[in-house]
Amino acid sequence: GPLVVLEYKRGKGNGMTAARYIHQVLEKAWTPLYVAAKAHLRRKIFFQQDGAPSHGAILTRNWLRKHQMPVFAHPPSSPDLSPIEPLWKTLKHRLRALPRLPTSIEGLQEAVKKVWDELTLDDINRHIAQMPDRVKAVLEADGGNTKFEYMHKGYPNCIALS
């Protein structure tokens, strides 16, 4: 799907609120994708979000219920098994490998969108194919932390850059 750059200032009181999440993510980004996918697939589609406070806020839950958008249940404290997580690491790695790093917010946004658009289906499928191993590791750890790393099984370009 498309990369959406969220607009808000960092700092106390300026973070991602439920109202910002609803406006920028659910209304502007998710709803058009949801409507198109539902029409194309003609089956029930679930929305996945993590335990971020803005995701679990009453305002957000009411909005999702009002718009009849089913959400996967997500425990408040659980491992993040979404294939998007290692993909962020791939994106950061490729961004830092650019010949010239951006020097402005606008330049950074442009560069991130360019790198995002260059990700291939193979890049995505590699992370999806890795999911059984990740789930197995979490199950073996009884839902706790795992030492699972993205560097194994042919993922040499996925390194932690946070």
Side-chain angles (χ1 to χ4, degrees), residues 117-162:
D117 289 342
E118 291 171 354
L119 291 172
T120 67
L121 198 51
D122 282 346
D123 294 323
I124 296 163
N125 286 336
R126 275 196 301 272
H127 296 302
I128 291 171
Q130 196 179 44
M131 292 307 297
D133 291 338
R134 294 180 70 199
V135 170
K136 182 180 176 189
V138 169
L139 290 172
E140 288 173 354
D142 290 325
N145 292 332
T146 69
K147 295 191 186 264
F148 195 88
E149 296 181 24
Y150 304 120
M151 302 268 301
H152 76 296
K153 293 195 174 186
Y155 300 95
N157 293 330
C158 300
I159 56 176
L161 297 169
S162 317

Side-chain angles (χ1 to χ4, degrees), residues 81-94:
L81 292 175
S82 172
I84 195 70
E85 295 306 323
L87 197 57
W88 291 132
K89 289 181 182 6
T90 301
L91 183 120
K92 288 177 188 180
H93 176 75
R94 292 182 184 176

Side-chain angles (χ1 to χ4, degrees), residues 89-105:
K89 289 181 182 6
T90 301
L91 183 120
K92 288 177 188 180
H93 176 75
R94 292 182 184 176
L95 184 63
R96 290 194 176 153
L98 292 174
R100 294 183 56 179
L101 294 177
T103 57
S104 68
I105 295 293

